[in-house]
Amino acid sequence: MRINFHLEYQTTFGEELVLNILKDDTAEQHKMGTLDGLHWSTELSKPVKTSTHIDYYYSVMRGDQQERTEWLTEPHRLEFAAQKGAHYTVYDHWIDIPEDAYLYSSAFTECVAARKLDMSPQTTFGKTIRLKVRAPQLRNNERLAIIGGGEALGNWEALRAIDMTEHESNEWVVSLDADTLPQTFEFKFVALDEEVDVTPLWENGMNRTVALPPMEQGEVVVYELSQAYFPVYPWKGAGTVIPIFSLRSEGSFGVGDFGDLKMMIDWCAKTRQRVLQVLPINDTNITKTWQDSYPYNSISIYALHPQYCDMRQLPEIKDQAKREAFEKLRQELNALPQIDYEKMFATKMDYLRELYAQEGSKTLKSAAFKAFFEENKEWLVPYAAFCHYRDIYGTATFSEWPDHHDLPAEEREAMTKPATKIYKEVAFWYFVQFHLDAQMHAAHNYARAHRVILKGDIPIGISRDGVEAWVEPKYFNLNGQAGAPPDAFSADGQNWGFPTYNWDEMLKDGCQWWVRRFRKMAEYFDAYRIDHVLGFFRIWEIPVPEKSGLMGQFAPALGMSREEIEAYGVQFNEGLFLVDHKRNDRWHPRIAVQYQEAYTQLSEDQKTNFNNLYNDYFYRRNNQFWYTEAMKKLPRLTQATRMLVCAEDLGMVPDCVPWVMNELRILSLEIQAMPKDPTTRFGKLSHNPYRSVDTISTHDMATLRQWWDEDEERSQSYYNTTLRRGGPAPRPLPGWLAKDIVSRHLTCPSMLCLLSFQDWMSIDEKLRLPDENAERINIPANPRHYWRYRMHLSIEQLLAADDLNNEISTLIIQSGRK
């Protein structure tokens, strides 16, 4: 079989194109040739080692270095569907990341617009013309067809349109008998509905034209055509944001679990919501106290938190006395208005250990467990070892352990062998993670079946007392602490305590640490929020052992020499600057130094000069540098999976952040109470970009009802100016006004409008929690905040609340969200 590939792509001197045929996780490279630097081609004459198709992409090389590559989320596909095909001639075009890249995410292809994929039917034509086209706008009830001039293409009669095959997400293909086609034929693509009597939707633009080339018997000519566009309004969806631990059902165990998650998906589907966003779900068990309730300080980027195990999905404990004792504790814990983290977690762990003693041996011998272990052992074994030694030594701070400051290879290997003593000592953790993984996979599949997008949350940091810092310390700066500069949440800045990343080391292997992390997350979610995306540009790094966020500096950043400082007309003063963490001859202006004595003692001229330096440094000097830093990392990560990428881009946002987010098609976060335009007090919802997530409040903020009452002057101004209502603002926030605010957010241009559960409930005065202050999830200014909020209604009660559910459904339908 011969395959000729042709690509029109303009290169510059010294560049050459390479065809990359994908094989598992590797690519087989084939250099291409050209006579003019524009028209490139190559021929493969060896047998193709696949029975149905090959996937491939093009890249630009300069010497041995790859300069750029195509968008890899959806590579080219060539099928071998012609039984008589001995020679394939393929005409491709270069694929850059499309503006509508979100339509190729699993949020759409597996949830909102899920359709069955199939390979093209086999053909027996002597000469074959194959047309490929991408049509990502099609909805889940639609299919693509081709119609054109001449009998072979239906003579422009809609009922004779030829169905095409979706052989990969959003790409459709059809094979035509070249001997039945005119030398030049015109055609268009149409979208057909499952309902036969629905009028076909014709693509925009002029008729397409193809002129047949000279063809030989057994030849298949493949044309990859430009995207088909249809007059379809861009999709918009609504959803709920709630931590899984905050869920409540009649049968849960004092905390939300993966069974409750499926019930919450039912509620979303019932109210026409398409997204359910949760907070991080990884294990945070460090101290076994309420401080472990903080979900952003996980001990593993892979392991799920045991608190989320749904005991209803596990075998029943056979000992009646123990079973009844656990049930009594369950009812007591579930009756509490908030989570009692310590008692809940201790009880659930006792339950799991009892169940392991009863079922462990049988489970560990099952085919399902063995498959899970084989697929996950690279992270599962170190996690189990860490938990084992944490419990033995009574601390997760591995630097304080008497031994095992790392995990020896021979011990790691022994932990994979069921016959060894150490395997038996750690296998409980394998058992727990096996059940958690199965339950979360089930919830994910359940969400997809109900066309609900599960959206996860990737924390920016990892615990310095966790598995990754223990077994992969080269990837972290353990002498640094991640945090945030002063902002509306905290005047002293924030010190999260996480070690910062050693990006130089991570980039050496193409950020595989992150790629593995994202791919594991894609097993559970179809969209994700990048927590503090600014950390991929630069992180606020506070040296150990400093506590205050005011002692931090951006890293990496272009520090200033004394000569540069003095060029601004500023006399060097260590009270105004911090020395660079890596170079002692470079300096950074102290954040918020204007409130400190070193600044107040300056003359007015010196203050003016210093302010110019300060603003240049924080908002202009590093823009291009930070852009380059982000583009080293984020393209690898956003293309590592098919999840829909959203980002939390709040705080001191340099200009380069929207550059990168637009280039990579990442959805921004828009909060009306925290506008990105510094000239306005409240954001204009109509100015939200389409590629964004709109919300009223986040887990780090006051809920809508709290916000309304915590600053009466502010909410009065919002009432009169933004809502355009006269007179004094009513207090507390009445349901009718909350409904008006929610409705305005739903009608904004943002692709997603995701509201906290508390803000949805604010519209119903009879059902909402009477005490608005009990709705708060987190207070960022308090590093020792107890994360214990639970919804006050059970999900069963929520599903039965017809008036509220009808109200929410109506608001969503009226807003044009689907």
Side-chain angles (χ1 to χ4, degrees), residues 616-630:
D616 279 348
Y617 172 84
F618 282 113
Y619 295 103
R620 288 179 284 274
R621 175 183 177 86
N622 290 283
N623 259 327
Q624 192 59 46
F625 175 67
W626 286 335
Y627 168 85
T628 303
E629 288 296 306

Side-chain angles (χ1 to χ4, degrees), residues 49 87 127 235 285 326 340 346 382 392 412 415 435 505 518 527 563 604 613 623 639 687 697 731 792 812:
K49 297 179 181 178
H87 178 202
K127 302 174 184 177
W235 181 88
N285 182 24
F326 277 120
D340 182 340
I392 286 178
R412 181 193 291 239
M415 289 179 177
H435 284 294
E505 193 65 36
F518 277 58
E563 290 77 15
E604 290 304 312
L613 177 153
N623 259 327
Q639 294 189 45
H687 290 185
S697 64
R731 302 185 189 285
H792 62 292
I812 291 172

Side-chain angles (χ1 to χ4, degrees), residues 726-742:
R731 302 185 189 285
L733 181 69
W736 64 265
L737 187 52
K739 177 182 172 183
D740 179 37
I741 294 171
V742 166

Side-chain angles (χ1 to χ4, degrees), residues 234-249:
W235 181 88
K236 297 197 301 181
T240 292
V241 183
I242 187 168
I244 294 180
F245 61 72
S246 296
L247 300 178
R248 180 191 296 272
S249 71

Side-chain angles (χ1 to χ4, degrees), residues 373 377 380-382 384-390 392-393 401 403-418 420-426 430 470-471:
F373 186 83
K377 63 183 178 183
L380 183 60
V381 171
F386 181 88
C387 294
H388 176 64
Y389 292 119
R390 174 202 60 202
I392 286 178
Y393 300 132
W401 294 350
D403 50 32
H404 287 94
H405 295 152
D406 58 17
L407 182 59
E410 61 275 11
E411 189 167 327
R412 181 193 291 239
E413 180 65 19
M415 289 179 177
T416 68
K417 308 295 184 184
T420 63
K421 178 175 179 291
I422 190 66
Y423 178 94
K424 294 178 175 63
E425 291 175 351
V426 301
Y430 301 159
W470 181 45
V471 297

Side-chain angles (χ1 to χ4, degrees), residues 379-572:
W379 66 263
L380 183 60
V381 171
Y383 164 76
F386 181 88
C387 294
H388 176 64
Y389 292 119
R390 174 202 60 202
D391 293 349
I392 286 178
Y393 300 132
T395 177
T397 306
F398 52 85
S399 61
E400 297 178 2
W401 294 350
D403 50 32
H404 287 94
H405 295 152
D406 58 17
L407 182 59
E410 61 275 11
E411 189 167 327
R412 181 193 291 239
E413 180 65 19
M415 289 179 177
T416 68
K417 308 295 184 184
T420 63
K421 178 175 179 291
I422 190 66
Y423 178 94
K424 294 178 175 63
E425 291 175 351
V426 301
F428 168 72
W429 299 104
Y430 301 159
F431 172 83
V432 172
Q433 288 300 314
F434 167 69
H435 284 294
L436 287 165
D437 179 79
Q439 291 182 10
M440 188 58 202
H441 269 105
H444 185 202
N445 292 334
Y446 191 79
R448 284 182 167 183
H450 287 74
R451 296 182 60 221
V452 172
I453 301 165
L454 268 189
K455 182 182 175 188
D457 192 337
I458 292 190
I460 187 60
I462 60 108
S463 174
R464 63 179 57 250
D465 296 327
V467 182
E468 284 72 38
W470 181 45
V471 297
E472 299 177 293
K474 67 178 182 178
Y475 289 133
F476 310 100
N477 299 316
L478 296 173
N479 59 348
Q481 304 169 93
D487 57 17
F489 296 129
S490 175
D492 194 45
Q494 298 177 50
N495 184 344
W496 303 322
F498 311 134
T500 56
Y501 294 110
N502 182 351
W503 285 110
D504 292 338
E505 193 65 36
M506 286 186 160
L507 288 166
K508 287 179 182 178
D509 62 8
C511 294
Q512 285 303 303
W513 186 89
W514 282 96
V515 170
R516 292 191 297 270
R517 182 182 190 182
F518 277 58
R519 287 180 178 171
K520 183 60 182 176
M521 191 174 188
E523 296 180 18
Y524 306 134
F525 299 102
D526 288 304
Y528 64 94
R529 165 190 178 268
I530 302 178
D531 173 44
H532 194 65
V533 74
L534 303 185
F536 291 91
F537 295 76
R538 78 292 186 274
I539 196 72
W540 190 249
E541 186 176 64
I542 305 156
V544 173
E546 297 290 350
K547 299 298 183 185
S548 171
L550 295 174
M551 298 304 294
Q553 61 186 239
F554 286 126
L558 301 174
M560 306 181 73
S561 67
R562 290 197 180 203
E563 290 77 15
E564 287 180 287
I565 292 171
E566 290 168 357
Y568 276 88
V570 176
Q571 185 175 354
F572 181 80

